[in-house]
Structure formats: C-alpha cells, structure tokens
Amino acid sequence: MLTGLDHLVVTVTDISRAVDFYSRVLGLDVRYRDAQRVDLMLGDTALRLHQTDTDIAPISATPTPGSLDLCLRCLLPLDEFQQHLDALGIEVELGPVARQGANGAIESVYLRDPDGNLLEICRPAR
C-alpha cells in the first residue's frame, strides 16, 4: 500500500541557520520552494524545513524544534566523516557504536543540529 517516504518536516527556529548546517556539514542539496519552505534533498526524499514563527498549514499538533531523532545513511567511511566534522568544529556526541538499522547491523555516530535534533549518521557494519 505505501512505498516509501516523500518528505519529513523538520521544525527549526531559523531556516538560514538550518540550511547552513545541513548543506555545509551534511552535504545535502538545498531546494527553495518559497520563502517559508526549504527542502534538503536526500536522494529522492526531502527534509522539509518549517520555521516555528511561520504560518504554514496544516502542521503537526505540537511542532517543536529539537524533537527529531533521525538516522541518515552515509557514503563515507565513518572515520572520514568524523574527520570532516572535526574540521568544521562539530562535536560528535557518541560513537562510533554498533546499532541495529532498518536493514541490519550498522555502525553509527551521533551529533546534534543547531536546534538540538539528534542525528545518527550510519554505515553498514563491517
């Protein structure tokens, strides 16, 4: 019946700050839909940014910056990704650690975006 995820809305306090982080730190492509909506592309799926003080409807019952816990797959080996984070001054909160992903064993590092959302960056376990 359902085939996948089209987009996921991320509530943020400042769209330009979020765009900078997700494009500079995570390498996501940015597509501006209009002044209030921006898509950060993950292949054919989007993280759609909504700023807390904008009037977009419909929205979730309690849109809250910092409430997201998201796992993203990485093409780079995690040690290379961590070197990239180190060069940008981005703190790794935890990892690398072994975890179970949607399709099997993964190795992950955890960090936070500017709004405090937890981002797990993973690779298939070796």
Side-chain angles (χ1 to χ4, degrees), residues 26-44:
L26 300 183
L28 300 186
D29 291 328
V30 180
R31 291 190 189 162
Y32 290 90
R33 298 184 64 235
D34 57 40
Q36 296 180 333
R37 285 182 290 233
V38 177
D39 288 347
L40 302 165
M41 300 308 298
L42 287 163
D44 64 352

Side-chain angles (χ1 to χ4, degrees), residues 71 73 99-106 122:
C71 182
R73 295 184 193 118
R99 294 290 190 247
Q100 188 65 29
N103 297 300
I106 57 175
C122 76

Side-chain angles (χ1 to χ4, degrees), residues 71-85:
C71 182
L72 303 170
R73 295 184 193 118
C74 185
L75 291 174
L76 295 175
L78 287 183
D79 59 340
E80 287 182 37
F81 183 72
Q82 284 185 273
Q83 290 171 6
H84 166 71
L85 295 175

Side-chain angles (χ1 to χ4, degrees), residues 2-16:
L2 301 178
T3 62
L5 181 67
D6 182 77
H7 69 275
L8 175 72
V9 175
V10 180
T11 302
V12 300
T13 56
D14 183 316
I15 283 186
S16 62

Side-chain angles (χ1 to χ4, degrees), residues 18-104:
V19 164
D20 175 66
F21 176 85
Y22 282 92
S23 62
R24 184 175 52 87
V25 176
L26 300 183
L28 300 186
D29 291 328
V30 180
R31 291 190 189 162
Y32 290 90
R33 298 184 64 235
D34 57 40
Q36 296 180 333
R37 285 182 290 233
V38 177
D39 288 347
L40 302 165
M41 300 308 298
L42 287 163
D44 64 352
T45 302
L47 296 181
R48 182 160 294 161
L49 301 179
H50 286 188
Q51 192 164 301
T52 53
D53 61 356
T54 57
D55 189 21
I56 297 174
I59 59 174
S60 63
T62 53
T64 307
S67 64
L68 185 67
D69 183 341
L70 184 63
C71 182
L72 303 170
R73 295 184 193 118
C74 185
L75 291 174
L76 295 175
L78 287 183
D79 59 340
E80 287 182 37
F81 183 72
Q82 284 185 273
Q83 290 171 6
H84 166 71
L85 295 175
D86 289 344
L88 295 173
I90 304 296
E91 181 181 343
V92 171
E93 192 164 305
L94 178 67
V97 293
R99 294 290 190 247
Q100 188 65 29
N103 297 300

